[in-house]
């Protein structure tokens, strides 16, 4: 597919500097990085990533399409109750798949949330507890997804999958953390935590890259990511692929083309209107990717996840987490409970809503098992394969308990009980079955439950390590790293 709005401009980073005086060629660079990725595909705690896989009982190894949205609030989809926003294509995923009303991320911030998503492990197990700080800090300090950890891309690549990431990386900006050294064959996007949607060569952040080559253009970035995703789908229609489509929308800066803004003349708040426009562009992109899968005849054999990386931020991007309390950066439900949709027409039921808690920790084992991977060889994974549960083969909920920790702030959920420690306050306890808004602290009324959850948290926490880096600044009651 042609790319009329972009062209290769240079190479990025120290590795790029060494290549800057030589003719660059995307095929050569890609092959070189492919070999690097093979050599560096570490597999901490998951021996199975290096084994050849049997085919699944369906006889089909599905494509894995992981759509990760940035800072999308719990109520910011039509299928989640939004009245002013329009998300028909994402809604169609829910209508033809499974919508989880208690889907969680492992952190209320971008980078640590992605560290768990990519590894299937609580990020506190390996020190990726805090956000990364700004791009200058990421380039000068040893900050990124630890090389000791295998990624889902490592696992699927070793099972014969074509692997690609399009969009925001935010798991390290140095050469050694580059996605093509973490199991991905292909990368189109940016390494930091945020980016202008119009200025591809935004000097305050990292450039847009294809592999390690700087690409310049002026296409609306969300549209560019969708176009690249469609291209990836078509190019890999004859073999199973893993595409991590990591949109930076609807993260700040709030920027949208007029054609998308014109779709929402009735939204009076300008930030909310821009957010609606940004999300509408993203939703159109999801529609284009679905259309591409249809054209290739692979739609039924594609396992799709569509999840937000953390809760919304009412101020910066006018997102809405109702009826949940608080938002991004906080351990209340609004920071960690997010839109969470899974769809696999060939194998999973359609149009159902599940309230049992699930986690982005489950993406790795669910995808890996679907690909024929042997989970019994992945002893360190904290997530579970959701497929047996969703197909009705296993009746108990996937998780008895879930836990969160970011510095002095922490939380635990067991059943409908939720423990929150928002430093420097006292522990709080909520009954989510009666109080999803966490408005009524019952810690004093139920000291027995409080002690039980604190005990479970302590046992979970005993297996964690110290943070590998710390935040440079604190904001409000929580240790909130800068978003980019
Ligand atoms: Ca985010």
């Amino acid at each position: 597919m042609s790319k009329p709005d972009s062209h290769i401009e240079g190479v990025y980073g120290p590795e790029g500097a060494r290549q800057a005086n030589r003719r660059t060629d995307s095929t050569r660079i890609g092959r070189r990085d492919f070999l690097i990725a093979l050599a560096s595909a570490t597999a901490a705690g998951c021996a199975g990533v290096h084994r050849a896989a049997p085919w699944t009982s369906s006889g089909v190894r599905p494509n894995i399409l992981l759509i990760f949205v940035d800072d999308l609030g719990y109520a910011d989809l039509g299928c989640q109750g939004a009245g002013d926003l329009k998300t028909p294509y994402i809604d169609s995923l829910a209508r033809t798949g499974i919508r989880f009303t208690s889907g969680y991320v492992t952190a209320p911030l971008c980078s640590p949330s992605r560290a768990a998503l990519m590894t299937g492990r609580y990020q506190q197990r390996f020190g990726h507890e805090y956000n990364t700080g700004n791009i200058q800090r990421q380039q000068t300090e040893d900050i990124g997804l630890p090389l000791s950890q295998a990624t889902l891309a490592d696992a699927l690549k070793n099972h014969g999958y074509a692997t690609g990431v399009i969009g925001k990386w935010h798991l390290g900006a140095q050469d050694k953390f580059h996605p093509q050294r973490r199991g991905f064959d292909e990368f189109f996007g940016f390494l930091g935590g945020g980016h202008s949607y119009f200025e591809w060569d935004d000097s305050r952040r990292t450039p847009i890259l294809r592999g390690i080559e700087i690409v310049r253009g002026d296409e609306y970035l969300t549209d560019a990511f969708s176009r690249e995703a469609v291209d990836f789908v078509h190019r890999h229609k004859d073999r199973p692929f893993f595409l991590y489509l990591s949109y930076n929308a609807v993260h700040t800066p709030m920027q949208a083309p007029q054609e998308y803004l014109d779709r929402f003349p009735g939204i009076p708040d300008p930030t909310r209107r821009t957010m609606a426009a940004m999300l509408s562009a993203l939703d159109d992109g999801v529609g284009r990717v679905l259309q591409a899968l249809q054209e290739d005849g692979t739609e039924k054999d594609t396992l799709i996840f569509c999840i937000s990386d953390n809760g919304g931020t009412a101020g910066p991007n006018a997102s809405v987490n109702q009826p949940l309390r608080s938002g991004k950066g906080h351990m209340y439900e609004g920071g960690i409970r997010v839109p969470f949709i899974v769809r696999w027409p060939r194998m999973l039921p359609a149009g159902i809503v599940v309230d049992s808690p699930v986690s982005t920790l489950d993406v790795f084992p669910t995808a890996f098992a679907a690909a024929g991977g042997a989970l019994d060889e992945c002893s360190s994974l904290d997530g579970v394969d959701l497929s047996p549960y969703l197909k009705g083969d296993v009746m108990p909920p996937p998780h008895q308990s879930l836990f969160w920790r970011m510095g002095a702030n922490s939380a635990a959920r067991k059943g409908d009980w939720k423990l929150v420690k928002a430093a420097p306050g006292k522990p709080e306890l909520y009954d989510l079955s009666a109080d999803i808004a966490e408005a009524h602290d019952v810690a004093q009324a139920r000291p027995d439950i409080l002690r039980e959850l604190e005990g479970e948290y302590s046992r979970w926490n005993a297996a964690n390590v110290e943070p590998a880096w710390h935040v440079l600044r604190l904001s409000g009651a929580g240790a909130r790293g800068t978003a980019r």
Side-chain angles (χ1 to χ4, degrees), residues 172-483:
Q174 297 176 26
D175 287 352
K176 64 183 179 182
F177 297 124
H178 190 280
Q180 286 175 296
R181 292 183 169 174
R182 309 312 303 269
F184 288 100
D185 300 330
E186 302 181 24
F187 170 54
F188 180 90
F190 60 91
L191 297 173
H195 206 282
S196 166
Y197 293 87
F198 292 117
E199 300 173 62
W200 285 30
D201 57 350
D202 182 355
S203 60
R204 294 164 298 175
R205 303 181 177 95
T206 52
I208 301 300
L209 302 175
R210 184 185 305 285
I212 58 171
E213 297 172 337
I214 296 173
V215 184
R216 299 194 189 281
D218 57 8
E219 186 180 9
Y220 186 54
L221 198 55
T222 299
D223 290 342
F225 291 158
S226 301
R227 173 177 49 73
E228 290 285 334
V230 167
D231 183 47
F232 183 95
V233 165
H234 283 318
R235 282 190 289 108
H236 299 292
K237 64 181 179 182
D238 295 325
R239 62 182 286 202
F241 66 73
F242 168 42
L243 174 58
Y244 173 31
L245 178 51
S246 178
Y247 286 109
N248 58 313
V250 289
H251 195 295
T252 56
M254 304 308 289
Q255 299 170 340
Q258 192 62 44
E259 64 175 290
Y260 294 117
L261 289 166
D262 287 344
R263 294 179 179 180
F264 301 96
I267 299 180
D269 177 71
T271 306
R272 180 69 174 174
R273 184 183 178 199
T274 304
M275 191 275 215
M278 293 165 71
L279 183 59
S280 192
L282 187 158
D283 189 69
D284 274 8
V286 172
R288 288 187 201 118
V289 175
L290 292 175
Q291 176 67 29
L293 293 169
Q294 260 187 353
E295 291 169 2
D296 294 341
T298 54
E299 192 179 21
K300 286 187 176 178
D301 295 313
T302 300
L303 169 56
I304 300 177
F305 300 87
C306 184
I307 309 170
S308 178
D309 74 331
N310 51 248
T313 61
N317 77 348
S319 54
V320 174
N321 299 313
Q322 288 179 354
L324 309 180
R325 177 174 175 177
S326 192
K328 178 178 180 178
H330 297 272
M331 295 300 186
Y332 296 110
E333 294 289 277
I336 55 178
R337 194 198 287 214
V338 293
F340 198 121
I341 299 166
V342 179
R343 177 205 197 231
W344 184 7
R346 177 79 67 186
M347 298 296 286
L348 297 180
I352 66 171
V353 178
V354 173
D355 192 45
S356 295
V358 295
S359 168
T360 42
L361 292 166
D362 305 329
V363 170
F364 188 129
T366 302
F368 189 52
L375 288 179
D376 57 356
E377 298 176 9
C378 300
S379 58
S380 66
L381 290 178
D382 290 306
V384 298
D385 174 14
L386 295 176
S387 297
Y389 171 76
L390 296 174
K391 286 186 285 191
D393 298 339
V394 178
M395 294 309 291
H399 294 277
Q400 295 299 315
S401 305
L402 289 170
F403 305 97
W404 295 264
R405 186 184 89 173
M406 198 167 63
N409 297 296
S410 60
R413 176 171 174 171
K414 182 179 184 183
D416 288 324
W417 294 104
K418 170 90 177 288
L419 168 71
V420 178
K421 288 186 178 180
K426 291 182 177 178
E428 302 162 22
L429 182 69
Y430 299 97
D431 177 3
L432 296 177
S433 68
D435 181 24
I436 194 173
E438 295 168 292
H440 306 288
D441 178 8
V442 294
Q444 288 196 335
R446 296 303 304 265
D448 54 330
I449 302 293
L450 183 67
R451 277 195 302 274
E452 181 182 344
L453 263 66
E454 287 188 313
E456 289 217 14
Y457 177 85
S458 293
R459 286 188 286 279
W460 169 79
N461 198 33
N464 292 332
V465 301
E466 288 296 305
W469 61 87
H470 289 267
V471 288
L472 291 178
R473 68 179 188 183
L474 300 177
S475 176
R480 300 172 60 179
T482 51

Side-chain angles (χ1 to χ4, degrees), residues 69-71 108-110 114 168 251 309-311 328:
V69 187
D70 200 349
D71 289 6
L109 290 175
C110 306
R114 288 154 199 269
K168 164 172 163 173
H251 195 295
D309 74 331
N310 51 248
K328 178 178 180 178

